[in-house]
Amino acid sequence: MSHPFFPQGNRWKRRDVLRTLFFTAGAVGSASWLSGCGGSEGGGESLPAVGGGADVTPSPDDVEKLVGRFQDIGPLRDADIHGVRTPEGFATRVVAINSELPQPDGMAVSGPQTGGIGNRPWHIFPDGAGVVPRDNGGWIYISNSEVPGAGSIGFTFPQLSGLTNVIEEFTPGLAQVGTLVFDPDGTIVDSYTILSGTTFNCAGCVTPWKTWLSCEEFPNGQVWECDPYQAGDGVPRPTLGFFSHEAIAIDPGERLLYLTEDMPDGRFYRWVPDPADWPEGSDRAALQAGRLQVLCVGGEGVDAALDAPQPIEWMDALNPHEPQDQNRLQQSTAFDGGEGVWFFKGIVYFATKGDNRIWAVDTAAQTIEVVYDLATAEAPNDILSGVDNLFVTDQGDILVAEDGGDMQVVVILPDGTLKPLLQIEGQDASEVAGIAFSPDGQRMYFTSDRGGRNGFGGFTNGLGMVYELILPDDL
């Protein structure tokens, strides 16, 4: 196939450096280190809430009609008081900062406020995120906390994963998943934890049945299913495999899950439910029984996907209830650092950070191709590096958050051109993540995983914060 939305045609990032520093500083599993640093995805645009979106493959005529929502945004202006550059007509506010209680109207610029919402200070290292709607017209923002643990040593040093997986079994995880509860006018009214005791929770997805799947990113990591509407601890879903889970996308029409693995020799997976686990016509999957499968690229091989789509096939994973980095299927294809993944109109997009590429799997044709490659991109389309989290709008815009790079969210438009949507300044040791939209599509959330207050009324590198991008009414 020729990819419907595009014409043909830095290795490990700051986050990995921080992980290495964390462990080589002798802070493995150290709760004191954490406390010493402050503790602890409706409306008119019909943006998809699932880790994917519509489940109907578009006709060529439909594809030609796709005009990106952000097609006509202008250049980025100077940074605002929150340190964020946006196009004309956009505005930002800060809605959560690590170790501070959320405030009804967001965070004061000058410093922490007294009082606050809920009984949990906002977690450190906020990463992947999603939004679910509330019955009253409000919404809930769900946020992972990417706190390392003993098992994360096996992520940074894969040769040690066998040992660190064992240590992880006896070491309580320090990560969690938190929420911000919004009323229809954007006021924050509550905040609570829906998962705790896990390790290195990176991304995930909102399911069609409105739960949250949170991914542990270490070699023996699992996926946890959480109820975002009430406080709780989540439920592990071992059928989804044991590996350095990064993100998940769901094709609800075909009842398939797609999963990325963030390792230098990571694989791309799909999960096929047993017929009784997700029966046709059922509202949801039980996520208790299914087959974990690994992608194998045929044809001229994975490198040839730069020039033309290559055929793929799926093979059952070896020993799916054991760590996959120790059970590689020889025929499977390695991808260098799998990151965000999204299902949209029969295409599964995913990012790989090691080679700065965005891939597209055509689920009908069963082919794969590269739709963005930094090494071969030509100006003005060479502005995207450090590819990480993904979000695809119903208009076909692919929003890519940068881990490092220029700390931007970059839009890949349906015609293949790139435009910056925003840029965070003064936080070069951080990364952008957590993209999710309010149900009406007018507010976009994103995180600076390692952002925080600078003590002088502004923001700099820190332990994490969450921004809200307010879109113009006519967009």
Side-chain angles (χ1 to χ4, degrees), residues 60-72:
D61 289 342
D62 290 336
V63 170
E64 290 179 2
K65 294 175 184 177
L66 281 173
V67 177
R69 185 181 191 192
F70 299 103
Q71 188 85 33
D72 297 323

Side-chain angles (χ1 to χ4, degrees), residues 459-471:
F459 302 95
T460 185
N461 299 314
L463 293 178
M465 55 194 293
V466 182
Y467 290 94
E468 181 183 81
L469 178 70
I470 304 167
L471 279 63

Side-chain angles (χ1 to χ4, degrees), residues 171-185:
T171 307
L174 299 173
Q176 58 183 275
V177 178
T179 63
L180 294 173
V181 182
F182 292 84
D183 268 352
D185 63 355

